[in-house]
Amino acid sequence: MTLRTALSALLLAAGATCTLAAGAAPATPAKGEKVLRLFLSTSETGLDPAAASDIATLSLLENLFDPLLRYDYLARPVKLRPNTATAMPDISADKRTYTFRIRPGIYFTPDPAFKGVKREMTAQDYVYSIRRLYDPAIKSPWSYMFDGKLEGDEAFKQRFSHATQIPGLQALDRYTLRIRLKEADNNFLFYMATPASSVVAREVIEAYPGQAGNHPVGTGPFMIGEWKRSDRIVLLANPYSTAVFNATPGDDPQDKAIAASLQGKRLPRVDRVEVKIAEEFQGRMLGFLNSEYDYLEQVPESMTDMVIREGALKPELGARGITLSRFPVLQTYYMWMNMNDPVVGGYTPDRIALRRAISLSYNSREDIALLKKGFAIKAESPLPPNVLGYDPAYRSPVPYDPALANALLDRHGYGKRDADGFRRAPDGKPLTLTMHSEATVGGRLRDELWRKCLNAIGLRVVFKSDKKTEIIKASRLGKVTMFESNWIADFPDGDNFYQLLYGPNAGRANYARFNLPAYNERYEQARLLSDGPARQRLYGEMNQLIHAYNPWVPLTHAVSADLRHPWLKNYKRHPVEFTSWRYLDVDVAERARLSRQAR
């Protein structure tokens, strides 16, 4: 452990964008060393909790840095539990004051910024870390979690400085943190379990001005061992880690087995994690089948036939001990329409009828069966299953019904046709819909589905392909007419999805620029309520407004097809956290034996 610690310090002194010096994190692990092998589907960015927002980077941050709270690994429905806190916080009667007591003896991994001193993490470090989210130089995408919510935080807007103290964010002593809100926020504790609210050390941030993302120094279960950008990352077990497994299993026998295997044991369970960047679908699949990766989450739709036959794992893969599981992701796919667009936007009856007809034309069965290969369920509302506020009994009043769509368009002025048989606008001018799509194989397949659906009701559509990042930029500027998006929960509460249609969020998450007072009022009322009948009623009314005005076509909720090899132990996918690396174990001997047999 002493050698590993020293070598880690050398790495971070040299800069994390370089690979480790020879011998520090060898390409071939030591005999008997437990190594978890996996991939990330996209390249990482800078490893700064305050700045990163992409899933690949958040997956790494989750293992390098520590928030006060984490999700219970086994509890379903999900619940929070202490991480660096000794217990769940004390909460005042008005739900505005939260007092966290931090577990002593938690240390940052070594870095030259600490000048050889073993640096203990304290409450003041959390004050500094949360205050960084307000720093205008960082432009944190997570500032919304705290901005305008902490008592006195307007002082950060006047002139940001880390010397500024506010009553809403205080270290009462070395191990006690108090946060006071201006008003109650039912999702506040979820915010305290995100990577963005993880703790960083001020000395490290100031030692590398503007380069915090290149020098990740945290208190998490792992630390950086090797980092070759956009190619390979090696994480080493943090020798300072004091994390111990504790969880609440349900009745599932597999959950109970995991709990029995891990209860009271120190985390992490493996010595190192080797992460590769694998952007190509085929490379991921072949890598898993060749035993280069221990598990694969979300078999790509275009690769499903390689491993699945008639909804089940191919027998020859089952004979190798490979397991297939279905996991309902907290994710909603939807096609949104720009409410300010001159073709499909507006709140007049003819424009509402056009959007309603587009919704009625969408063939969810064909989408799920042919494009999703059966690994999805129809979206009845913005909320996926397992999110607080989800109503399993709710059904959309807008079914797949091309005949009704045609009748609706005829009735509202779209009855005239051009020489090719496509509908004209009510003023007699040509009518062409423009839908953006991703320049990928999957994007082209979706284009054909939409072309078939819209042509069936007499609507001409053209597709404009581009990179998703460019489409999102244009969407925020209001320059996109129609586009398919998806939203993965930041936290498992309905508010995280219904805010996507809240008027003041237009230009941000509300790409449709839907701004309906009746919806906004109900959203504002609902966000003040805890999960329960009163909020459920408001959510039902919001669903009805969405279906009445149709700024969205709710499409599907993904069901992930996940594969894992038999030597991987303690695996259970979590609905909210991105990774389970700290809990996973590897049977080294079984991996070696089965890998030889597979060759």
Side-chain angles (χ1 to χ4, degrees):
M1 292 298 187
T2 303
L3 175 61
R4 179 179 290 168
T5 300
L7 290 170
S8 176
L10 288 173
L11 159 70
L12 294 167
T17 56
C18 302
T19 52
L20 259 175
T28 303
K31 186 177 181 180
E33 192 173 24
K34 292 183 177 181
V35 182
L36 179 65
R37 295 170 181 156
L38 52 94
F39 68 84
L40 294 174
S41 58
T42 58
S43 298
E44 79 292 353
T45 56
L47 297 176
D48 181 353
S53 61
D54 61 283
I55 293 175
T57 306
L58 293 173
S59 298
L60 294 164
L61 293 175
E62 203 171 69
N63 291 281
L64 297 168
F65 295 90
D66 270 327
L68 284 157
L69 307 176
R70 283 199 186 277
Y71 289 90
D72 187 306
Y73 184 43
L74 301 177
R76 304 291 186 276
V78 298
K79 75 173 185 178
L80 295 168
R81 65 176 308 110
N83 182 40
T84 58
T86 58
M88 295 300 288
D90 295 330
I91 306 174
S92 63
D94 62 3
K95 297 184 179 180
R96 291 177 50 219
T97 302
Y98 294 77
T99 304
F100 297 88
R101 289 174 177 81
I102 293 166
R103 182 160 42 87
I106 300 174
Y107 293 88
F108 288 99
T109 54
D111 188 86
F114 300 136
K115 304 185 187 306
V117 176
K118 189 177 179 182
R119 170 69 155 79
E120 187 181 27
M121 181 268 288
T122 68
Q124 186 59 44
D125 292 314
Y126 276 106
V127 171
Y128 173 78
S129 302
I130 294 171
R131 191 163 52 212
R132 286 188 75 228
L133 302 179
Y134 288 85
D135 188 343
I138 295 175
K139 297 179 181 177
S140 175
W142 305 99
S143 61
Y144 76 91
M145 297 191 301
F146 299 95
D147 189 11
K149 298 178 183 181
L150 303 189
E151 260 193 21
D153 68 356
E154 56 273 4
F156 294 145
K157 290 292 186 67
Q158 295 165 5
R159 183 176 178 275
F160 181 81
S161 169
H162 281 292
T164 302
Q165 304 295 317
I166 63 169
L169 184 61
Q170 295 181 319
L172 303 184
D173 57 42
R174 187 172 181 82
Y175 302 115
T176 307
L177 173 72
R178 186 179 69 192
I179 298 177
R180 294 173 60 182
L181 306 179
K182 293 175 182 176
E183 58 183 40
D185 185 335
N186 290 313
N187 292 315
F188 176 71
L189 289 181
F190 290 133
Y191 303 155
M192 302 308 294
T194 63
S197 62
S198 294
V199 66
V200 299
R202 183 169 185 168
E203 300 97 308
V204 175
I205 303 300
E206 294 181 347
Y208 310 104
Q211 295 295 316
N214 295 332
H215 298 272
V217 178
T219 63
F222 294 99
M223 61 186 187
I224 288 285
E226 179 182 330
W227 185 7
K228 191 175 180 182
R229 279 186 178 273
S230 302
D231 181 19
R232 170 182 157 90
I233 306 106
V234 175
L235 305 183
L236 304 177
N238 177 5
Y240 291 171
S241 176
T242 58
V244 174
F245 181 82
N246 229 310
T248 310
D251 295 329
D252 188 320
Q254 290 185 337
D255 289 0
K256 291 182 177 180
I258 292 173
S261 171
L262 288 176
Q263 193 63 34
K265 290 185 178 178
R266 183 174 172 271
L267 303 175
R269 302 307 301 157
V270 297
D271 299 299
R272 55 194 267 157
V273 180
E274 295 183 353
V275 184
K276 292 183 180 179
I277 306 302
E279 297 185 341
E280 295 296 327
F281 289 164
Q282 189 172 24
R284 297 176 207 167
M285 285 299 306
L286 293 177
F288 173 80
L289 294 174
N290 291 334
S291 303
E292 295 170 21
Y293 307 125
D294 297 321
Y295 67 92
L296 183 152
E297 290 180 344
Q298 203 146 2
V299 172
E301 293 168 10
S302 59
M303 300 282 111
T304 303
D305 293 341
M306 288 181 65
V307 293
I308 295 170
R309 184 183 301 141
E310 296 179 354
L313 186 70
K314 287 185 173 181
E316 57 268 32
L317 299 180
R320 291 172 51 183
I322 293 172
T323 303
L324 167 69
S325 57
R326 288 171 168 78
F327 179 79
V329 185
L330 300 189
Q331 183 177 28
T332 297
Y333 284 83
Y334 58 99
M335 194 277 284
W336 55 265
M337 292 171 272
N338 185 346
M339 296 295 287
N340 293 341
D341 184 80
V343 176
V344 300
Y347 298 82
T348 56
D350 60 320
R351 297 297 176 80
I352 294 172
L354 176 60
R355 293 192 301 272
R356 175 76 59 80
I358 292 170
S359 296
L360 289 164
S361 79
Y362 166 65
N363 189 337
S364 62
R365 284 190 178 183
E366 188 169 342
D367 187 0
I368 292 169
L370 299 183
L371 300 188
K372 294 292 196 300
K373 304 294 185 180
F375 286 88
I377 60 174
K378 183 179 183 295
E380 305 289 348
S381 78
L383 296 193
N386 300 316
V387 165
L388 294 174
Y390 173 75
D391 180 0
Y394 182 82
R395 293 294 179 269
S396 167
V398 185
Y400 169 58
D401 193 336
L404 181 58
N406 275 304
L408 189 66
L409 290 171
D410 288 342
R411 181 178 178 182
H412 285 273
Y414 296 91
K416 295 178 182 178
R417 308 263 183 155
D418 62 20
D420 296 320
F422 290 109
R423 294 180 182 276
R424 292 183 177 275
D427 61 5
K429 294 180 180 179
L431 173 64
T432 300
L433 305 178
T434 303
M435 182 181 287
H436 274 67
S437 66
E438 293 185 62
T440 62
V441 173
R444 287 190 289 274
L445 290 173
R446 301 209 63 77
D447 292 351
E448 289 311 307
L449 173 67
W450 275 111
R451 190 190 310 277
K452 179 179 178 181
C453 292
L454 294 172
N455 287 177
I457 60 171
L459 295 176
R460 186 196 306 271
V461 59
V462 296
F463 297 93
K464 187 175 181 180
S465 295
D466 205 343
K467 293 181 178 179
K468 187 172 183 178
T469 52
E470 296 304 313
I471 298 173
I472 294 302
K473 288 178 186 176
S475 299
R476 288 175 176 161
L477 296 173
K479 295 181 179 180
V480 174
T481 300
M482 306 162 70
F483 180 56
E484 278 195 16
S485 293
N486 71 86
W487 186 264
I488 301 176
D490 295 317
F491 49 88
D493 188 84
D495 179 80
N496 193 229
F497 286 84
Y498 284 110
Q499 59 91 19
L500 298 172
L501 286 158
Y502 180 50
N505 284 344
R508 293 182 290 179
N510 181 359
Y511 297 133
R513 298 177 176 261
F514 186 54
N515 191 11
L516 185 72
Y519 182 94
N520 296 341
E521 290 165 9
R522 285 163 175 79
Y523 173 77
E524 290 164 358
Q525 293 170 30
R527 70 177 308 180
L528 299 177
L529 300 174
S530 300
D531 185 43
R535 194 177 74 158
Q536 194 78 50
R537 177 181 56 79
L538 289 169
Y539 281 178
E541 292 174 3
M542 290 156 70
N543 288 340
Q544 291 296 308
L545 291 169
I546 294 168
H547 289 122
Y549 288 87
N550 295 279
W552 275 22
V553 180
L555 304 177
T556 59
H557 305 303
V559 175
S560 179
D562 299 342
L563 302 172
R564 68 181 182 274
H565 286 292
W567 55 76
L568 183 66
K569 309 300 179 184
N570 308 327
Y571 177 87
K572 183 179 179 68
R573 192 165 171 186
H574 195 274
V576 182
E577 291 194 329
F578 300 105
T579 69
S580 53
W581 303 348
R582 70 189 62 216
Y583 309 111
L584 301 182
D585 207 341
V586 173
D587 187 324
V588 177
E590 187 176 6
R591 174 198 268 157
R593 179 177 60 83
L594 292 174
S595 295
R596 283 194 300 268
Q597 291 179 1
R599 293 192 187 104

